[in-house]
Amino acid sequence: MSETKHVYRFGKDASGNDVTEVAGNTVDEAKYVVGGKGANLAEMAKIGLPVPPGFSITCQTCVAYSSAGNVWPEGVLDEIDEARKDLEERMGKKLGDAEDPLLVSVRSGAPFSMPGMMDTVLNLGLNDVSVHGLIAQTENPRFGWDSYRRFIQMFSNVVMGVDSDLFENAITSLKLKKGVKNDTDLTAEDLEKLVAEFKDIFAKNVDVKEHPEVVVDGRAVFPSDPYLQLRLAEQAVFGSWMNERAILYRKQNKIPDDLGTAVNVQVMVFGNKGDTSATGVAFTRNPADGTNERYGDFLVNAQGEDVVAGIRNTEPIADLRKIPALEEAGNELYHIFEVLEDHYRDMMDIEFTIEQGKLWMLQTRVGKRTALSALKVAIDMEREGRISKEEAVQRVNPEQLDQLLHPQLDPNADLEVLATGLNASPGAAVGEVVFSSDDAVKFAEDNRPCILVRWETNPDDLKGMVAAEGILTSHGGKTSHAAVIARGMGAPCVCGVEALKIDATKKEARVSGTDVVLHEGDVISIDGTTGRVILGSVALVRPELTGDLETILEWADEIRLDPSRGAVMGVRANADNPADAQLSRDFGAEGIGLCRTEHMFLGERKQIIQSFILAESDGIKERALGKLLDAQKGDFLSMFEAMDGKTVIVRLLDPPLHEFLDNPRDLAVELAHLEDKGAAKSEIAEKRDLLRRIDSMTEANPMLGLRGCRLGIVYPELTDMQVRAIASAAAELKSRGLDPKPEIMVPLVSTANELAMLREQILKGVQEVADKYGMELNIPVGTMIELPRAALEADEIGQYADFFSFGTNDLTQTTFGFSRDDVESAFIPMYLRKKILATNPFETLDDGVNKLIKIALQGGRTANPKIVCGVCGETGGDPDSIHTYYDDGVDYVSCSPYRVPIARLTAAQAKIAANGGAISRDK
Ligand code: ADP
Ligand code: MG
Ligand code: MG
């Protein structure tokens, strides 16, 4: 037997002493061993909360089992058997016993919660003998047979893969035959008959080749041996780690595939033993908006998943204590809410069951929440003295902030509400109605934004929920599947819209109280913040940085900008026009890290630059340059004014020239048309000449061709023009009393000589303008580091640079030799699927590229100790990359305006992490 422990027990022994074995020093540590559910069950047991006893089999066992091709590692089955015997002793009951049987649930539980993604089997241990023991103990035959038929149904579905509908259909036909409406109208005798029928369904539908363990005389037989039931269920939970929807969920949530899941075997408690029993789910605060109130739903006389499945209409948790039979248990639950918040110092989500007036805690975890709620809870908890400002800043997931920077319904829009439901996940969405997840995926593939409209969603709907802009359901409460998943994804969701009568097969939904019938393709708008549903499309607006978001960002800046707490990393924005510059300022950018001048050459200005490039006489060239100078100077005047007092790094012209020219293929087609039409000879000759000149400039690999600083060297007059535009815009603003701070950046340098030469030319140009205006102009000159050679030669290049800016898009492209314009659709998705790449290197900084960055940082700082080094590529706004940049010692990151708040928060978190405060990112 190996030394590693595979099984940990939790809960009390026969004499009421807690015998919980913890699997780590903290819950966070333990969850990697016994999963989140197991770790928190153990934690609750340890702090004295009522937890049904049980044991957890570790995630590591799952990984070993899976990688051995679904074979149990040596000795583990014995260890589990001991734990099972121990549990039987602790309970004074035995699995399968004829007098008083022990029943257990077999529950999955990964290190990160994956709600509803994997499977659970309840009531395990029942067979034809023990069912009579259960009946004898409870004196309730109906309950006994109902538990048994539920077990057969769940076991067959979860463990044996038999379609659940077969069982549901059998129930429905029995009800029809008897002329009754509800499951509760079925008698003990009816249910006993169903048990026999269910076993028959099992026999007919279990694949005998796949499940030889249950084959007797060539026929599948429902296993009566509880130990076999247990082992098969454990294997099924381990197997469910690799089922399709679990894999998709992990991909969606960036959870690694190699963590495995634990199996928790736990004594059953029953919420379906009549009116003194109940089951429910709850949050200690409002997960949608963060209000400090208890939030959740419960059902009287119900078991397990009934609450989330939206089968019966649930009651709000606040009403629990109003039911006399449940008042005492309700009071205890409300007390436990406080105990949990005090202990975990966070908003918790729980599952509970009341069995004949006795409260049992079945699960707790840190509650998933919307960005709005995350902000409010973090700030409130700081103010309540539960957590520090640092912790509050760490509690907000930067990626989630994106939700708040996402569209809301325009408050000034004139709109008519079609129906209302529960405001389950905030934000607004507009799209065409679809009634199935497959259709949502199809619409998304055609770039048609859609709203997924369902009765209620289930785990198979995940792909559709990902594809849709928003989710709308007619059933289910705020803790229904749709609500929980939508909040996790940050997708707007309105649920429980009772007026909606959906017929998914016909692909239509009637709205009661109106004569509206929604069909597939009809456009609707939903508002998950208020629960409104609107016919047609409503304008969406971006919200501003106010309230809680502003507070958290202020706290983040306090930490980020305080030099006594570690290195200060700045946040700038990439912006090319005054509107974007203003927006980045509003979002807190400390400057512009990248102003791309080629974006100023679009539209009608394309003609001007074209005539420059293609000019065959000096006169034409000069005229074109003159026009460009005026246009550029105008742009810079407004840019520098919007960013008054703040750095604006202007990059000289960068893209391959062909981007400014007409496409030669289109031109050839046009020429053919002109000839066909018999157009004027002169016109044809002119076009042909144009085509000849464009052809002569065509490059086989433009990305590796005449671009970046090479352009400015081949066409020095372009460089002169741009420098003059920048410097004279600055000079004019200065003479108006403003404080413009432009810097000039040379792109795509690969050798120090290129930069040395251009630097001299630029400084000379600036000096000429300064002389002309009779003032001093101090405009720093620096370069992009975006080619591997430049990174390796940074100690040479740094001699001529006041600053470096890492252009990680090109640097990634040239380090990998991946064309970023092609590979993202060609093979990167496959590389990610096959795990050749862990992440897309164009989104998250790659380790290899980072090595070059570190070499360049060191080289640049050796050559010029005062050099300022930043990042302006896409990865500058990516949270994972920002952590790396902080650790690298980069001076600032620059990203798109909308990511500036995300970068400010992440930079503060990176600093806290570097100071030893572990970031707990809620997955
Ligand atoms: P999930 O991870 O999908 O939430 P769970 O393991 O929590 O799955 O099981 C689903 C539900 O089954 C629980 O919410 C609870 O209502 C019920 N359940 C699980 N174990 C027990 C138990 N030992 N006694 C009573 N109900 C249980
Ligand atoms: Mg659960
Ligand atoms: Mg570049």
PDB file of all heavy atoms in Angstrom, residues 37 52 104-108 114-118 120 122 266-270 279 281 303-305 351-353 362-363 365, ligand 1:
ATOM      1  N   LYS A  37     -15.922  20.899  -2.202  1.00  0.00           N
ATOM      2  CA  LYS A  37     -17.056  20.465  -1.400  1.00  0.00           C
ATOM      3  C   LYS A  37     -16.559  19.733  -0.162  1.00  0.00           C
ATOM      4  O   LYS A  37     -16.991  20.025   0.963  1.00  0.00           O
ATOM      5  CB  LYS A  37     -17.940  19.551  -2.254  1.00  0.00           C
ATOM      6  CG  LYS A  37     -19.334  19.397  -1.755  1.00  0.00           C
ATOM      7  CD  LYS A  37     -20.145  18.517  -2.707  1.00  0.00           C
ATOM      8  CE  LYS A  37     -20.534  19.254  -3.980  1.00  0.00           C
ATOM      9  NZ  LYS A  37     -20.969  18.343  -5.046  1.00  0.00           N
ATOM     10  N   PRO A  52     -23.850  16.103   7.921  1.00  0.00           N
ATOM     11  CA  PRO A  52     -23.986  14.649   7.908  1.00  0.00           C
ATOM     12  C   PRO A  52     -22.603  14.016   7.691  1.00  0.00           C
ATOM     13  O   PRO A  52     -21.865  14.458   6.814  1.00  0.00           O
ATOM     14  CB  PRO A  52     -24.898  14.380   6.706  1.00  0.00           C
ATOM     15  CG  PRO A  52     -25.604  15.662   6.448  1.00  0.00           C
ATOM     16  CD  PRO A  52     -24.659  16.748   6.883  1.00  0.00           C
ATOM     17  N   VAL A 104     -26.460   6.506   1.679  1.00  0.00           N
ATOM     18  CA  VAL A 104     -25.481   7.577   1.465  1.00  0.00           C
ATOM     19  C   VAL A 104     -25.720   8.265   0.122  1.00  0.00           C
ATOM     20  O   VAL A 104     -26.388   7.720  -0.760  1.00  0.00           O
ATOM     21  CB  VAL A 104     -24.023   7.038   1.472  1.00  0.00           C
ATOM     22  CG1 VAL A 104     -23.638   6.523   2.852  1.00  0.00           C
ATOM     23  CG2 VAL A 104     -23.822   5.970   0.401  1.00  0.00           C
ATOM     24  N   SER A 105     -25.137   9.465   0.006  1.00  0.00           N
ATOM     25  CA  SER A 105     -25.055  10.091  -1.313  1.00  0.00           C
ATOM     26  C   SER A 105     -23.605   9.978  -1.763  1.00  0.00           C
ATOM     27  O   SER A 105     -22.704   9.890  -0.936  1.00  0.00           O
ATOM     28  CB  SER A 105     -25.476  11.564  -1.246  1.00  0.00           C
ATOM     29  OG  SER A 105     -24.590  12.293  -0.426  1.00  0.00           O
ATOM     30  N   VAL A 106     -23.431   9.929  -3.067  1.00  0.00           N
ATOM     31  CA  VAL A 106     -22.079   9.900  -3.629  1.00  0.00           C
ATOM     32  C   VAL A 106     -21.967  11.149  -4.484  1.00  0.00           C
ATOM     33  O   VAL A 106     -22.656  11.283  -5.492  1.00  0.00           O
ATOM     34  CB  VAL A 106     -21.856   8.621  -4.454  1.00  0.00           C
ATOM     35  CG1 VAL A 106     -20.480   8.637  -5.107  1.00  0.00           C
ATOM     36  CG2 VAL A 106     -21.995   7.401  -3.560  1.00  0.00           C
ATOM     37  N   ARG A 107     -21.146  12.088  -4.015  1.00  0.00           N
ATOM     38  CA  ARG A 107     -21.131  13.428  -4.611  1.00  0.00           C
ATOM     39  C   ARG A 107     -19.774  13.760  -5.206  1.00  0.00           C
ATOM     40  O   ARG A 107     -18.745  13.502  -4.598  1.00  0.00           O
ATOM     41  CB  ARG A 107     -21.465  14.479  -3.537  1.00  0.00           C
ATOM     42  CG  ARG A 107     -22.598  14.089  -2.628  1.00  0.00           C
ATOM     43  CD  ARG A 107     -22.751  15.058  -1.465  1.00  0.00           C
ATOM     44  NE  ARG A 107     -23.157  16.399  -1.894  1.00  0.00           N
ATOM     45  CZ  ARG A 107     -23.239  17.433  -1.077  1.00  0.00           C
ATOM     46  NH1 ARG A 107     -22.896  17.300   0.197  1.00  0.00           N
ATOM     47  NH2 ARG A 107     -23.611  18.599  -1.531  1.00  0.00           N
ATOM     48  N   SER A 108     -19.799  14.382  -6.363  1.00  0.00           N
ATOM     49  CA  SER A 108     -18.545  14.829  -6.952  1.00  0.00           C
ATOM     50  C   SER A 108     -18.140  16.147  -6.296  1.00  0.00           C
ATOM     51  O   SER A 108     -18.954  16.820  -5.669  1.00  0.00           O
ATOM     52  CB  SER A 108     -18.735  15.047  -8.449  1.00  0.00           C
ATOM     53  OG  SER A 108     -19.757  15.988  -8.654  1.00  0.00           O
ATOM     54  N   MET A 114     -17.924  23.610  -9.905  1.00  0.00           N
ATOM     55  CA  MET A 114     -18.407  23.525 -11.283  1.00  0.00           C
ATOM     56  C   MET A 114     -19.883  23.165 -11.180  1.00  0.00           C
ATOM     57  O   MET A 114     -20.257  22.028 -11.424  1.00  0.00           O
ATOM     58  CB  MET A 114     -17.634  22.439 -12.035  1.00  0.00           C
ATOM     59  CG  MET A 114     -16.137  22.739 -12.107  1.00  0.00           C
ATOM     60  SD  MET A 114     -15.137  21.369 -12.688  1.00  0.00           S
ATOM     61  CE  MET A 114     -15.924  20.947 -14.220  1.00  0.00           C
ATOM     62  N   PRO A 115     -20.734  24.143 -10.820  1.00  0.00           N
ATOM     63  CA  PRO A 115     -22.115  23.818 -10.443  1.00  0.00           C
ATOM     64  C   PRO A 115     -22.835  23.019 -11.514  1.00  0.00           C
ATOM     65  O   PRO A 115     -22.867  23.393 -12.672  1.00  0.00           O
ATOM     66  CB  PRO A 115     -22.761  25.181 -10.230  1.00  0.00           C
ATOM     67  CG  PRO A 115     -21.817  26.190 -10.775  1.00  0.00           C
ATOM     68  CD  PRO A 115     -20.470  25.570 -10.817  1.00  0.00           C
ATOM     69  N   GLY A 116     -23.397  21.892 -11.081  1.00  0.00           N
ATOM     70  CA  GLY A 116     -24.215  21.087 -11.974  1.00  0.00           C
ATOM     71  C   GLY A 116     -23.460  20.397 -13.096  1.00  0.00           C
ATOM     72  O   GLY A 116     -24.061  19.780 -13.961  1.00  0.00           O
ATOM     73  N   MET A 117     -22.130  20.507 -13.106  1.00  0.00           N
ATOM     74  CA  MET A 117     -21.381  19.967 -14.240  1.00  0.00           C
ATOM     75  C   MET A 117     -21.126  18.477 -14.097  1.00  0.00           C
ATOM     76  O   MET A 117     -20.961  17.767 -15.055  1.00  0.00           O
ATOM     77  CB  MET A 117     -20.032  20.672 -14.379  1.00  0.00           C
ATOM     78  CG  MET A 117     -20.166  22.076 -14.859  1.00  0.00           C
ATOM     79  SD  MET A 117     -21.032  22.146 -16.412  1.00  0.00           S
ATOM     80  CE  MET A 117     -22.129  23.491 -16.058  1.00  0.00           C
ATOM     81  N   MET A 118     -21.012  18.022 -12.848  1.00  0.00           N
ATOM     82  CA  MET A 118     -20.731  16.601 -12.666  1.00  0.00           C
ATOM     83  C   MET A 118     -21.869  15.977 -11.870  1.00  0.00           C
ATOM     84  O   MET A 118     -22.802  16.645 -11.490  1.00  0.00           O
ATOM     85  CB  MET A 118     -19.383  16.435 -12.003  1.00  0.00           C
ATOM     86  CG  MET A 118     -18.262  16.815 -12.966  1.00  0.00           C
ATOM     87  SD  MET A 118     -16.659  16.602 -12.271  1.00  0.00           S
ATOM     88  CE  MET A 118     -16.791  17.647 -10.872  1.00  0.00           C
ATOM     89  N   THR A 120     -24.142  13.424  -9.191  1.00  0.00           N
ATOM     90  CA  THR A 120     -24.338  13.018  -7.809  1.00  0.00           C
ATOM     91  C   THR A 120     -25.415  11.940  -7.770  1.00  0.00           C
ATOM     92  O   THR A 120     -26.386  12.021  -8.506  1.00  0.00           O
ATOM     93  CB  THR A 120     -24.787  14.244  -6.982  1.00  0.00           C
ATOM     94  OG1 THR A 120     -23.679  15.142  -6.885  1.00  0.00           O
ATOM     95  CG2 THR A 120     -25.233  13.860  -5.593  1.00  0.00           C
ATOM     96  N   LEU A 122     -28.038  10.000  -5.157  1.00  0.00           N
ATOM     97  CA  LEU A 122     -28.611  10.049  -3.810  1.00  0.00           C
ATOM     98  C   LEU A 122     -29.239   8.699  -3.448  1.00  0.00           C
ATOM     99  O   LEU A 122     -29.528   7.876  -4.318  1.00  0.00           O
ATOM    100  CB  LEU A 122     -29.699  11.128  -3.737  1.00  0.00           C
ATOM    101  CG  LEU A 122     -29.285  12.549  -4.120  1.00  0.00           C
ATOM    102  CD1 LEU A 122     -30.469  13.508  -3.963  1.00  0.00           C
ATOM    103  CD2 LEU A 122     -28.118  13.024  -3.263  1.00  0.00           C
ATOM    104  N   GLN A 266     -21.478  10.488   1.652  1.00  0.00           N
ATOM    105  CA  GLN A 266     -22.029  11.170   2.818  1.00  0.00           C
ATOM    106  C   GLN A 266     -23.376  10.568   3.208  1.00  0.00           C
ATOM    107  O   GLN A 266     -24.197  10.242   2.342  1.00  0.00           O
ATOM    108  CB  GLN A 266     -22.213  12.662   2.486  1.00  0.00           C
ATOM    109  CG  GLN A 266     -22.640  13.493   3.667  1.00  0.00           C
ATOM    110  CD  GLN A 266     -22.693  14.971   3.321  1.00  0.00           C
ATOM    111  OE1 GLN A 266     -22.969  15.329   2.177  1.00  0.00           O
ATOM    112  NE2 GLN A 266     -22.442  15.812   4.304  1.00  0.00           N
ATOM    113  N   VAL A 267     -23.576  10.461   4.511  1.00  0.00           N
ATOM    114  CA  VAL A 267     -24.833   9.925   5.026  1.00  0.00           C
ATOM    115  C   VAL A 267     -26.003  10.773   4.520  1.00  0.00           C
ATOM    116  O   VAL A 267     -25.944  12.001   4.567  1.00  0.00           O
ATOM    117  CB  VAL A 267     -24.791   9.932   6.572  1.00  0.00           C
ATOM    118  CG1 VAL A 267     -26.158   9.559   7.137  1.00  0.00           C
ATOM    119  CG2 VAL A 267     -23.718   8.975   7.067  1.00  0.00           C
ATOM    120  N   MET A 268     -27.041  10.112   4.059  1.00  0.00           N
ATOM    121  CA  MET A 268     -28.212  10.838   3.546  1.00  0.00           C
ATOM    122  C   MET A 268     -29.039  11.453   4.675  1.00  0.00           C
ATOM    123  O   MET A 268     -29.255  10.837   5.712  1.00  0.00           O
ATOM    124  CB  MET A 268     -29.155   9.882   2.798  1.00  0.00           C
ATOM    125  CG  MET A 268     -28.770   9.536   1.398  1.00  0.00           C
ATOM    126  SD  MET A 268     -28.632  10.941   0.277  1.00  0.00           S
ATOM    127  CE  MET A 268     -30.273  11.647   0.322  1.00  0.00           C
ATOM    128  N   VAL A 269     -29.499  12.655   4.432  1.00  0.00           N
ATOM    129  CA  VAL A 269     -30.555  13.219   5.272  1.00  0.00           C
ATOM    130  C   VAL A 269     -31.704  13.539   4.317  1.00  0.00           C
ATOM    131  O   VAL A 269     -31.485  13.706   3.113  1.00  0.00           O
ATOM    132  CB  VAL A 269     -30.085  14.486   6.023  1.00  0.00           C
ATOM    133  CG1 VAL A 269     -29.066  14.115   7.074  1.00  0.00           C
ATOM    134  CG2 VAL A 269     -29.516  15.518   5.065  1.00  0.00           C
ATOM    135  N   PHE A 270     -32.928  13.625   4.856  1.00  0.00           N
ATOM    136  CA  PHE A 270     -34.077  13.695   3.951  1.00  0.00           C
ATOM    137  C   PHE A 270     -34.921  14.935   4.172  1.00  0.00           C
ATOM    138  O   PHE A 270     -35.430  15.164   5.266  1.00  0.00           O
ATOM    139  CB  PHE A 270     -34.929  12.441   4.094  1.00  0.00           C
ATOM    140  CG  PHE A 270     -34.185  11.208   3.671  1.00  0.00           C
ATOM    141  CD1 PHE A 270     -33.517  10.433   4.606  1.00  0.00           C
ATOM    142  CD2 PHE A 270     -34.118  10.860   2.330  1.00  0.00           C
ATOM    143  CE1 PHE A 270     -32.796   9.313   4.207  1.00  0.00           C
ATOM    144  CE2 PHE A 270     -33.407   9.737   1.934  1.00  0.00           C
ATOM    145  CZ  PHE A 270     -32.742   8.960   2.878  1.00  0.00           C
ATOM    146  N   THR A 279     -35.812  21.544   1.883  1.00  0.00           N
ATOM    147  CA  THR A 279     -34.456  21.636   1.356  1.00  0.00           C
ATOM    148  C   THR A 279     -34.315  22.982   0.652  1.00  0.00           C
ATOM    149  O   THR A 279     -35.309  23.535   0.163  1.00  0.00           O
ATOM    150  CB  THR A 279     -34.149  20.450   0.419  1.00  0.00           C
ATOM    151  OG1 THR A 279     -32.808  20.548  -0.020  1.00  0.00           O
ATOM    152  CG2 THR A 279     -35.041  20.447  -0.810  1.00  0.00           C
ATOM    153  N   VAL A 281     -31.380  26.314  -0.987  1.00  0.00           N
ATOM    154  CA  VAL A 281     -30.062  26.881  -1.283  1.00  0.00           C
ATOM    155  C   VAL A 281     -30.119  28.364  -0.920  1.00  0.00           C
ATOM    156  O   VAL A 281     -31.175  28.984  -1.026  1.00  0.00           O
ATOM    157  CB  VAL A 281     -29.673  26.721  -2.769  1.00  0.00           C
ATOM    158  CG1 VAL A 281     -29.526  25.265  -3.131  1.00  0.00           C
ATOM    159  CG2 VAL A 281     -30.691  27.378  -3.677  1.00  0.00           C
ATOM    160  N   GLN A 303     -36.595  16.945  -2.117  1.00  0.00           N
ATOM    161  CA  GLN A 303     -35.252  16.401  -2.008  1.00  0.00           C
ATOM    162  C   GLN A 303     -34.331  17.006  -3.054  1.00  0.00           C
ATOM    163  O   GLN A 303     -34.733  17.279  -4.180  1.00  0.00           O
ATOM    164  CB  GLN A 303     -35.278  14.876  -2.177  1.00  0.00           C
ATOM    165  CG  GLN A 303     -33.914  14.253  -1.913  1.00  0.00           C
ATOM    166  CD  GLN A 303     -33.920  12.731  -1.945  1.00  0.00           C
ATOM    167  OE1 GLN A 303     -34.642  12.119  -2.727  1.00  0.00           O
ATOM    168  NE2 GLN A 303     -33.113  12.120  -1.110  1.00  0.00           N
ATOM    169  N   GLY A 304     -33.094  17.195  -2.634  1.00  0.00           N
ATOM    170  CA  GLY A 304     -31.977  17.452  -3.542  1.00  0.00           C
ATOM    171  C   GLY A 304     -32.207  18.554  -4.545  1.00  0.00           C
ATOM    172  O   GLY A 304     -32.462  19.697  -4.184  1.00  0.00           O
ATOM    173  N   GLU A 305     -32.142  18.145  -5.789  1.00  0.00           N
ATOM    174  CA  GLU A 305     -32.069  19.118  -6.866  1.00  0.00           C
ATOM    175  C   GLU A 305     -33.404  19.798  -7.175  1.00  0.00           C
ATOM    176  O   GLU A 305     -33.454  20.646  -8.046  1.00  0.00           O
ATOM    177  CB  GLU A 305     -31.559  18.435  -8.133  1.00  0.00           C
ATOM    178  CG  GLU A 305     -30.207  17.795  -7.971  1.00  0.00           C
ATOM    179  CD  GLU A 305     -29.070  18.805  -8.000  1.00  0.00           C
ATOM    180  OE1 GLU A 305     -29.013  19.671  -7.093  1.00  0.00           O
ATOM    181  OE2 GLU A 305     -28.250  18.739  -8.910  1.00  0.00           O
ATOM    182  N   GLU A 351     -25.978  25.008   0.776  1.00  0.00           N
ATOM    183  CA  GLU A 351     -27.080  24.092   0.515  1.00  0.00           C
ATOM    184  C   GLU A 351     -27.433  23.454   1.844  1.00  0.00           C
ATOM    185  O   GLU A 351     -26.541  23.074   2.604  1.00  0.00           O
ATOM    186  CB  GLU A 351     -26.656  23.016  -0.493  1.00  0.00           C
ATOM    187  CG  GLU A 351     -26.374  23.603  -1.866  1.00  0.00           C
ATOM    188  CD  GLU A 351     -25.863  22.599  -2.880  1.00  0.00           C
ATOM    189  OE1 GLU A 351     -25.776  21.394  -2.561  1.00  0.00           O
ATOM    190  OE2 GLU A 351     -25.525  23.034  -3.990  1.00  0.00           O
ATOM    191  N   PHE A 352     -28.734  23.379   2.137  1.00  0.00           N
ATOM    192  CA  PHE A 352     -29.124  22.813   3.419  1.00  0.00           C
ATOM    193  C   PHE A 352     -30.355  21.925   3.258  1.00  0.00           C
ATOM    194  O   PHE A 352     -31.071  22.011   2.244  1.00  0.00           O
ATOM    195  CB  PHE A 352     -29.432  23.921   4.439  1.00  0.00           C
ATOM    196  CG  PHE A 352     -30.647  24.734   4.082  1.00  0.00           C
ATOM    197  CD1 PHE A 352     -31.908  24.383   4.558  1.00  0.00           C
ATOM    198  CD2 PHE A 352     -30.538  25.838   3.252  1.00  0.00           C
ATOM    199  CE1 PHE A 352     -33.042  25.129   4.222  1.00  0.00           C
ATOM    200  CE2 PHE A 352     -31.654  26.575   2.900  1.00  0.00           C
ATOM    201  CZ  PHE A 352     -32.907  26.227   3.389  1.00  0.00           C
ATOM    202  N   THR A 353     -30.558  21.077   4.225  1.00  0.00           N
ATOM    203  CA  THR A 353     -31.757  20.246   4.255  1.00  0.00           C
ATOM    204  C   THR A 353     -32.259  20.197   5.685  1.00  0.00           C
ATOM    205  O   THR A 353     -31.460  20.123   6.621  1.00  0.00           O
ATOM    206  CB  THR A 353     -31.442  18.834   3.715  1.00  0.00           C
ATOM    207  OG1 THR A 353     -31.371  18.906   2.286  1.00  0.00           O
ATOM    208  CG2 THR A 353     -32.520  17.830   4.085  1.00  0.00           C
ATOM    209  N   LEU A 362     -25.318  20.899   3.961  1.00  0.00           N
ATOM    210  CA  LEU A 362     -24.810  19.957   2.959  1.00  0.00           C
ATOM    211  C   LEU A 362     -23.689  20.522   2.112  1.00  0.00           C
ATOM    212  O   LEU A 362     -22.987  19.802   1.425  1.00  0.00           O
ATOM    213  CB  LEU A 362     -25.953  19.508   2.052  1.00  0.00           C
ATOM    214  CG  LEU A 362     -26.977  18.600   2.726  1.00  0.00           C
ATOM    215  CD1 LEU A 362     -28.101  18.282   1.768  1.00  0.00           C
ATOM    216  CD2 LEU A 362     -26.309  17.319   3.212  1.00  0.00           C
ATOM    217  N   GLN A 363     -23.521  21.812   2.140  1.00  0.00           N
ATOM    218  CA  GLN A 363     -22.471  22.392   1.298  1.00  0.00           C
ATOM    219  C   GLN A 363     -22.299  23.864   1.642  1.00  0.00           C
ATOM    220  O   GLN A 363     -23.262  24.548   1.990  1.00  0.00           O
ATOM    221  CB  GLN A 363     -22.871  22.280  -0.175  1.00  0.00           C
ATOM    222  CG  GLN A 363     -21.763  22.629  -1.144  1.00  0.00           C
ATOM    223  CD  GLN A 363     -22.160  22.289  -2.585  1.00  0.00           C
ATOM    224  OE1 GLN A 363     -22.817  21.284  -2.831  1.00  0.00           O
ATOM    225  NE2 GLN A 363     -21.766  23.132  -3.508  1.00  0.00           N
ATOM    226  N   ARG A 365     -19.623  27.253   0.113  1.00  0.00           N
ATOM    227  CA  ARG A 365     -18.447  27.705  -0.636  1.00  0.00           C
ATOM    228  C   ARG A 365     -18.558  29.215  -0.755  1.00  0.00           C
ATOM    229  O   ARG A 365     -19.633  29.789  -0.535  1.00  0.00           O
ATOM    230  CB  ARG A 365     -18.389  27.052  -2.016  1.00  0.00           C
ATOM    231  CG  ARG A 365     -19.509  27.503  -2.905  1.00  0.00           C
ATOM    232  CD  ARG A 365     -19.645  26.673  -4.156  1.00  0.00           C
ATOM    233  NE  ARG A 365     -21.006  26.852  -4.633  1.00  0.00           N
ATOM    234  CZ  ARG A 365     -21.631  26.051  -5.466  1.00  0.00           C
ATOM    235  NH1 ARG A 365     -21.032  24.992  -5.934  1.00  0.00           N
ATOM    236  NH2 ARG A 365     -22.857  26.304  -5.835  1.00  0.00           N
TER     237      ARG A 365
HETATM  238  P1  ADP B   1     -23.651  19.732  -7.112  1.00  0.00           P
HETATM  239  O1  ADP B   1     -22.186  19.719  -6.970  1.00  0.00           O
HETATM  240  O2  ADP B   1     -24.132  19.576  -8.497  1.00  0.00           O
HETATM  241  O3  ADP B   1     -24.274  20.863  -6.351  1.00  0.00           O
HETATM  242  P2  ADP B   1     -24.268  18.015  -4.891  1.00  0.00           P
HETATM  243  O4  ADP B   1     -23.275  16.974  -4.567  1.00  0.00           O
HETATM  244  O5  ADP B   1     -24.231  19.231  -4.064  1.00  0.00           O
HETATM  245  O6  ADP B   1     -24.164  18.383  -6.425  1.00  0.00           O
HETATM  246  O7  ADP B   1     -25.672  17.324  -4.799  1.00  0.00           O
HETATM  247  C1  ADP B   1     -26.832  17.902  -5.288  1.00  0.00           C
HETATM  248  C2  ADP B   1     -27.905  17.930  -4.236  1.00  0.00           C
HETATM  249  O8  ADP B   1     -28.167  16.657  -3.722  1.00  0.00           O
HETATM  250  C3  ADP B   1     -27.533  18.741  -3.014  1.00  0.00           C
HETATM  251  O9  ADP B   1     -27.795  20.089  -3.221  1.00  0.00           O
HETATM  252  C4  ADP B   1     -28.438  18.176  -1.960  1.00  0.00           C
HETATM  253  O10 ADP B   1     -29.687  18.791  -2.029  1.00  0.00           O
HETATM  254  C5  ADP B   1     -28.566  16.743  -2.383  1.00  0.00           C
HETATM  255  N1  ADP B   1     -27.704  15.919  -1.540  1.00  0.00           N
HETATM  256  C6  ADP B   1     -26.437  15.562  -1.749  1.00  0.00           C
HETATM  257  N2  ADP B   1     -25.965  14.826  -0.733  1.00  0.00           N
HETATM  258  C7  ADP B   1     -26.974  14.707   0.150  1.00  0.00           C
HETATM  259  C8  ADP B   1     -27.106  14.079   1.425  1.00  0.00           C
HETATM  260  N3  ADP B   1     -26.105  13.427   1.992  1.00  0.00           N
HETATM  261  N4  ADP B   1     -28.300  14.179   2.039  1.00  0.00           N
HETATM  262  C9  ADP B   1     -29.308  14.853   1.475  1.00  0.00           C
HETATM  263  N5  ADP B   1     -29.253  15.464   0.285  1.00  0.00           N
HETATM  264  C10 ADP B   1     -28.095  15.394  -0.382  1.00  0.00           C
END
